[in-house]
Short mmCIF file of all heavy atoms in Angstrom, two decimals:
data_model
loop_
_atom_site.label_atom_id
_atom_site.label_comp_id
_atom_site.label_asym_id
_atom_site.label_seq_id
_atom_site.Cartn_x
_atom_site.Cartn_y
_atom_site.Cartn_z
N ARG C 188 105.99 87.71 25.39
CA ARG C 188 106.04 86.24 25.38
C ARG C 188 104.64 85.65 25.21
O ARG C 188 104.46 84.65 24.51
CB ARG C 188 106.67 85.74 26.68
CG ARG C 188 108.18 85.93 26.72
CD ARG C 188 108.78 85.41 28.01
NE ARG C 188 110.24 85.44 27.94
CZ ARG C 188 110.98 84.49 27.41
NH1 ARG C 188 110.41 83.40 26.93
NH2 ARG C 188 112.29 84.59 27.37
N THR C 189 103.65 86.26 25.83
CA THR C 189 102.29 85.73 25.71
C THR C 189 101.77 85.89 24.29
O THR C 189 101.21 84.96 23.71
CB THR C 189 101.35 86.43 26.71
OG1 THR C 189 101.84 86.24 28.04
CG2 THR C 189 99.93 85.87 26.61
N VAL C 190 101.95 87.06 23.72
CA VAL C 190 101.49 87.30 22.35
C VAL C 190 102.20 86.40 21.36
O VAL C 190 101.59 85.89 20.41
CB VAL C 190 101.69 88.79 21.98
CG1 VAL C 190 101.43 89.03 20.50
CG2 VAL C 190 100.78 89.67 22.83
N GLN C 191 103.48 86.15 21.57
CA GLN C 191 104.27 85.34 20.64
C GLN C 191 104.25 83.85 20.99
O GLN C 191 105.02 83.07 20.44
CB GLN C 191 105.70 85.86 20.60
CG GLN C 191 105.81 87.28 20.05
CD GLN C 191 107.23 87.80 19.99
OE1 GLN C 191 108.14 87.24 20.60
NE2 GLN C 191 107.43 88.87 19.26
N GLN C 192 103.36 83.49 21.91
CA GLN C 192 103.19 82.09 22.31
C GLN C 192 104.48 81.46 22.84
O GLN C 192 104.82 80.32 22.55
CB GLN C 192 102.63 81.26 21.15
CG GLN C 192 101.22 81.63 20.75
CD GLN C 192 100.21 81.45 21.89
OE1 GLN C 192 100.02 80.34 22.38
NE2 GLN C 192 99.61 82.54 22.33
N GLU C 193 105.18 82.26 23.63
CA GLU C 193 106.35 81.78 24.34
C GLU C 193 106.01 81.70 25.83
O GLU C 193 105.04 82.29 26.29
CB GLU C 193 107.54 82.72 24.13
CG GLU C 193 107.98 82.82 22.67
CD GLU C 193 109.08 83.83 22.47
OE1 GLU C 193 109.52 84.43 23.49
OE2 GLU C 193 109.49 84.06 21.33
N THR C 194 106.80 80.96 26.58
CA THR C 194 106.51 80.73 27.98
C THR C 194 107.03 81.87 28.85
O THR C 194 108.24 82.13 28.86
CB THR C 194 107.15 79.41 28.45
OG1 THR C 194 106.72 78.35 27.61
CG2 THR C 194 106.77 79.10 29.89
N PRO C 195 106.17 82.56 29.58
CA PRO C 195 106.67 83.55 30.55
C PRO C 195 107.48 82.86 31.64
O PRO C 195 107.26 81.68 31.94
CB PRO C 195 105.38 84.16 31.12
CG PRO C 195 104.32 83.84 30.13
CD PRO C 195 104.70 82.53 29.53
N ARG C 196 108.38 83.60 32.23
CA ARG C 196 109.29 83.01 33.21
C ARG C 196 109.17 83.70 34.56
O ARG C 196 109.05 84.91 34.65
CB ARG C 196 110.73 83.12 32.71
CG ARG C 196 110.97 82.35 31.41
CD ARG C 196 112.33 82.69 30.84
NE ARG C 196 112.59 81.96 29.60
CZ ARG C 196 113.64 82.18 28.83
NH1 ARG C 196 114.53 83.10 29.15
NH2 ARG C 196 113.80 81.47 27.72
N ILE C 197 109.21 82.88 35.60
CA ILE C 197 109.24 83.36 36.98
C ILE C 197 110.49 82.79 37.63
O ILE C 197 110.77 81.60 37.49
CB ILE C 197 108.00 82.92 37.78
CG1 ILE C 197 106.72 83.38 37.08
CG2 ILE C 197 108.06 83.47 39.20
CD1 ILE C 197 105.47 82.84 37.75
N THR C 198 111.22 83.62 38.34
CA THR C 198 112.40 83.15 39.05
C THR C 198 111.99 82.65 40.42
O THR C 198 111.29 83.35 41.16
CB THR C 198 113.44 84.27 39.19
OG1 THR C 198 113.79 84.75 37.89
CG2 THR C 198 114.69 83.77 39.90
N ALA C 199 112.41 81.44 40.75
CA ALA C 199 112.09 80.87 42.05
C ALA C 199 112.83 81.61 43.15
O ALA C 199 113.83 82.29 42.91
CB ALA C 199 112.46 79.39 42.06
N GLY C 200 112.34 81.46 44.35
CA GLY C 200 113.03 82.06 45.49
C GLY C 200 112.60 83.48 45.77
O GLY C 200 111.55 83.94 45.31
N PRO C 201 113.43 84.23 46.51
CA PRO C 201 113.06 85.58 46.95
C PRO C 201 112.70 86.52 45.81
O PRO C 201 111.79 87.34 45.95
CB PRO C 201 114.31 86.06 47.69
CG PRO C 201 115.01 84.82 48.12
CD PRO C 201 114.74 83.81 47.05
N ALA C 202 113.40 86.42 44.69
CA ALA C 202 113.13 87.34 43.59
C ALA C 202 111.72 87.18 43.05
O ALA C 202 111.07 88.16 42.65
CB ALA C 202 114.15 87.13 42.47
N GLY C 203 111.22 85.95 43.02
CA GLY C 203 109.88 85.72 42.50
C GLY C 203 108.78 85.89 43.53
O GLY C 203 107.64 86.19 43.19
N GLU C 204 109.12 85.70 44.79
CA GLU C 204 108.12 85.74 45.85
C GLU C 204 107.90 87.14 46.43
O GLU C 204 106.83 87.43 46.97
CB GLU C 204 108.55 84.80 46.99
CG GLU C 204 108.63 83.34 46.56
CD GLU C 204 109.31 82.46 47.60
OE1 GLU C 204 109.72 83.03 48.65
OE2 GLU C 204 109.45 81.25 47.37
N ALA C 205 108.90 87.99 46.33
CA ALA C 205 108.81 89.31 46.95
C ALA C 205 107.75 90.17 46.29
O ALA C 205 107.52 90.09 45.08
CB ALA C 205 110.16 90.00 46.88
N LEU C 206 107.10 91.01 47.08
CA LEU C 206 106.11 91.94 46.57
C LEU C 206 106.82 93.18 46.03
O LEU C 206 107.77 93.69 46.64
CB LEU C 206 105.13 92.34 47.66
CG LEU C 206 104.33 91.22 48.31
CD1 LEU C 206 103.41 91.78 49.38
CD2 LEU C 206 103.52 90.46 47.26
N ARG C 207 106.36 93.66 44.89
CA ARG C 207 106.92 94.86 44.27
C ARG C 207 105.80 95.86 43.97
O ARG C 207 104.65 95.46 43.70
CB ARG C 207 107.63 94.50 42.96
CG ARG C 207 108.84 93.58 43.13
CD ARG C 207 110.02 94.35 43.69
NE ARG C 207 111.20 93.49 43.79
CZ ARG C 207 111.59 92.88 44.91
NH1 ARG C 207 110.87 93.02 46.02
NH2 ARG C 207 112.68 92.14 44.92
N GLU C 208 106.14 97.14 44.00
CA GLU C 208 105.18 98.19 43.68
C GLU C 208 105.29 98.54 42.20
O GLU C 208 106.39 98.65 41.67
CB GLU C 208 105.46 99.43 44.54
CG GLU C 208 105.34 99.16 46.03
CD GLU C 208 105.61 100.40 46.87
OE1 GLU C 208 105.68 101.50 46.30
OE2 GLU C 208 105.76 100.26 48.09
N TYR C 209 104.13 98.75 41.57
CA TYR C 209 104.09 99.07 40.14
C TYR C 209 103.30 100.35 39.95
O TYR C 209 102.17 100.49 40.44
CB TYR C 209 103.45 97.91 39.35
CG TYR C 209 104.30 96.67 39.37
CD1 TYR C 209 104.18 95.74 40.41
CD2 TYR C 209 105.26 96.44 38.38
CE1 TYR C 209 104.99 94.60 40.44
CE2 TYR C 209 106.07 95.32 38.42
CZ TYR C 209 105.93 94.40 39.45
OH TYR C 209 106.74 93.29 39.48
N VAL C 210 103.91 101.30 39.21
CA VAL C 210 103.31 102.61 38.98
C VAL C 210 103.11 102.80 37.49
O VAL C 210 104.06 102.69 36.70
CB VAL C 210 104.21 103.74 39.53
CG1 VAL C 210 103.56 105.10 39.29
CG2 VAL C 210 104.48 103.53 41.02
N PHE C 211 101.86 103.07 37.09
CA PHE C 211 101.57 103.30 35.68
C PHE C 211 102.24 104.59 35.21
O PHE C 211 102.37 105.56 35.96
CB PHE C 211 100.06 103.38 35.46
CG PHE C 211 99.65 103.59 34.03
CD1 PHE C 211 99.98 102.67 33.06
CD2 PHE C 211 98.95 104.72 33.66
CE1 PHE C 211 99.62 102.86 31.74
CE2 PHE C 211 98.57 104.92 32.34
CZ PHE C 211 98.91 103.99 31.37
N LEU C 212 102.65 104.61 33.95
CA LEU C 212 103.42 105.72 33.39
C LEU C 212 102.79 107.07 33.66
O LEU C 212 103.46 108.01 34.12
CB LEU C 212 103.61 105.50 31.89
CG LEU C 212 104.33 106.61 31.12
CD1 LEU C 212 105.75 106.79 31.63
CD2 LEU C 212 104.31 106.32 29.63
N ASP C 213 101.51 107.24 33.37
CA ASP C 213 100.86 108.55 33.54
C ASP C 213 100.89 109.02 34.99
O ASP C 213 101.02 110.22 35.26
CB ASP C 213 99.42 108.49 33.04
CG ASP C 213 99.33 108.42 31.53
OD1 ASP C 213 100.38 108.39 30.86
OD2 ASP C 213 98.20 108.39 31.00
N ASP C 214 100.77 108.08 35.93
CA ASP C 214 100.83 108.46 37.34
C ASP C 214 102.23 108.92 37.72
O ASP C 214 102.41 109.87 38.48
CB ASP C 214 100.41 107.27 38.21
CG ASP C 214 98.96 106.85 37.97
OD1 ASP C 214 98.13 107.74 37.71
OD2 ASP C 214 98.67 105.64 38.04
N ALA C 215 103.25 108.25 37.17
CA ALA C 215 104.63 108.65 37.43
C ALA C 215 104.93 110.02 36.83
O ALA C 215 105.59 110.86 37.45
CB ALA C 215 105.59 107.61 36.86
N LEU C 216 104.41 110.28 35.63
CA LEU C 216 104.64 111.58 34.98
C LEU C 216 103.98 112.70 35.76
O LEU C 216 104.55 113.79 35.92
CB LEU C 216 104.11 111.54 33.55
CG LEU C 216 104.78 110.52 32.61
CD1 LEU C 216 104.14 110.56 31.24
CD2 LEU C 216 106.28 110.77 32.52
N GLU C 217 102.77 112.45 36.25
CA GLU C 217 102.08 113.45 37.08
C GLU C 217 102.93 113.78 38.31
O GLU C 217 103.03 114.95 38.72
CB GLU C 217 100.72 112.92 37.50
CG GLU C 217 99.92 113.87 38.40
CD GLU C 217 98.65 113.24 38.95
OE1 GLU C 217 98.55 112.00 38.96
OE2 GLU C 217 97.77 114.00 39.36
N ALA C 218 103.56 112.77 38.88
CA ALA C 218 104.38 112.98 40.06
C ALA C 218 105.62 113.80 39.73
O ALA C 218 106.01 114.71 40.49
CB ALA C 218 104.78 111.63 40.66
N LEU C 219 106.27 113.51 38.62
CA LEU C 219 107.47 114.25 38.24
C LEU C 219 107.16 115.74 38.03
O LEU C 219 107.92 116.61 38.46
CB LEU C 219 108.08 113.65 36.97
CG LEU C 219 108.66 112.24 37.09
CD1 LEU C 219 109.12 111.74 35.72
CD2 LEU C 219 109.80 112.19 38.09
N VAL C 220 106.07 116.03 37.36
CA VAL C 220 105.69 117.42 37.11
C VAL C 220 105.37 118.12 38.43
O VAL C 220 105.73 119.29 38.64
CB VAL C 220 104.49 117.49 36.14
CG1 VAL C 220 103.96 118.92 36.03
CG2 VAL C 220 104.90 116.97 34.77
N ALA C 221 104.72 117.42 39.34
CA ALA C 221 104.41 118.02 40.64
C ALA C 221 105.68 118.37 41.41
O ALA C 221 105.74 119.40 42.08
CB ALA C 221 103.54 117.06 41.46
N LEU C 222 106.70 117.53 41.30
CA LEU C 222 107.96 117.81 41.97
C LEU C 222 108.63 119.04 41.37
O LEU C 222 109.19 119.88 42.08
CB LEU C 222 108.89 116.60 41.88
CG LEU C 222 108.50 115.38 42.72
CD1 LEU C 222 109.47 114.25 42.49
CD2 LEU C 222 108.42 115.74 44.20
N ALA C 223 108.57 119.17 40.04
CA ALA C 223 109.13 120.36 39.40
C ALA C 223 108.38 121.61 39.83
O ALA C 223 108.98 122.67 40.09
CB ALA C 223 109.10 120.21 37.88
N ASN C 224 107.07 121.52 39.93
CA ASN C 224 106.26 122.68 40.32
C ASN C 224 106.48 123.08 41.78
O ASN C 224 106.24 124.24 42.15
CB ASN C 224 104.78 122.39 40.09
CG ASN C 224 104.44 122.29 38.61
OD1 ASN C 224 105.17 122.78 37.76
ND2 ASN C 224 103.33 121.63 38.31
N ASP C 225 106.94 122.14 42.59
CA ASP C 225 107.16 122.45 44.01
C ASP C 225 108.27 123.48 44.17
O ASP C 225 108.36 124.14 45.21
CB ASP C 225 107.50 121.16 44.76
CG ASP C 225 107.46 121.35 46.27
OD1 ASP C 225 106.51 121.97 46.77
OD2 ASP C 225 108.39 120.88 46.94
N GLU C 226 109.11 123.63 43.16
CA GLU C 226 110.17 124.65 43.18
C GLU C 226 109.59 126.03 43.40
O GLU C 226 110.14 126.85 44.15
CB GLU C 226 110.96 124.60 41.86
CG GLU C 226 111.87 125.79 41.62
CD GLU C 226 111.18 126.89 40.84
OE1 GLU C 226 110.20 126.60 40.12
OE2 GLU C 226 111.61 128.05 40.94
#
Side-chain angles (χ1 to χ4, degrees):
R188 285 180 172 275
T189 301
V190 171
Q191 296 181 345
Q192 294 300 298
E193 298 175 2
T194 305
R196 297 170 180 173
I197 304 174
T198 302
E204 297 169 0
L206 301 179
R207 297 284 183 263
E208 299 180 11
Y209 293 87
V210 180
F211 181 61
L212 177 62
D213 287 1
D214 297 325
L216 298 178
E217 179 187 20
L219 293 176
V220 172
L222 290 178
N224 292 339
D225 192 45
E226 167 268 337

